[in-house]
Amino acid sequence: MGNEGDVRAWLRERGAQAIPHPGGTLYAHLSRVCERLGALGVDADVRVAGLAHAAYGTDGFDVVLLDAADRAPLRELVGARAEELIYLYGGCDRGRTWKRLAQTREVWSRFTGECAAPDEATVRGFIDLSIVNELDVVEQDPTIGDRFGDYFRAVFHSWEGIASTSVSEEARRVLATA
């Protein structure tokens, strides 16, 4: 697995520090997500995935730093498990996945239109990353919390048996006022 410094340099090479995002820039957002995941005690692969989670764009943020058809460079940089999480996160069709994820453990891909059933550790990493990402966006732009707070509270509550305990607790804390 590449170190966070290498990933940060890669993100800067792709201009992430100049791409607008709630709270400043995409680079700042990615950094905050990574740091919060670390503070919440998630493993290194999930933390590094958090740092590069928008590399392939996301459902809701269509800026692409690397074409999802060319995954090898990112895999070499971050390692296979972190890249798998980045691809899963970036490709997730949230409308088809999020509300039912706790029951199905299935993630629908907006890249392929197919459904994947990742192992439990991958689902937990995906959920932890998804929650922490949205918490950062809500904190940076309170209007997001006003608009989507009830939705996030409901979905994240349904994920509590899967998410890391520290991440679930953080979601409850942040969303209590959103």
Side-chain angles (χ1 to χ4, degrees), residues 68-134:
D70 186 20
R71 297 172 60 186
L74 189 57
R75 187 178 305 117
E76 288 177 29
L77 178 65
V78 301
R81 180 166 181 260
E83 190 278 334
E84 179 184 354
L85 281 168
I86 294 164
Y87 183 80
L88 189 67
Y89 181 85
C92 176
D93 179 337
R94 294 178 186 178
R96 293 181 74 182
T97 300
W98 277 26
K99 285 185 180 181
R100 299 176 353 147
L101 182 60
Q103 293 78 34
T104 66
R105 306 296 204 275
E106 296 174 338
V107 179
W108 286 90
S109 174
R110 67 188 182 92
F111 297 146
T112 67
E114 297 175 357
C115 182
D119 63 49
E120 281 297 309
T122 302
V123 171
R124 172 170 281 178
F126 171 82
I127 284 175
D128 287 349
L129 172 54
S130 297
I131 291 172
V132 169
N133 174 72
E134 297 305 333

Side-chain angles (χ1 to χ4, degrees), residues 15-27 61 63:
Q17 74 282 7
I19 299 169
H21 194 278
T25 67
L26 177 60
Y27 183 83
F61 191 75
V63 175

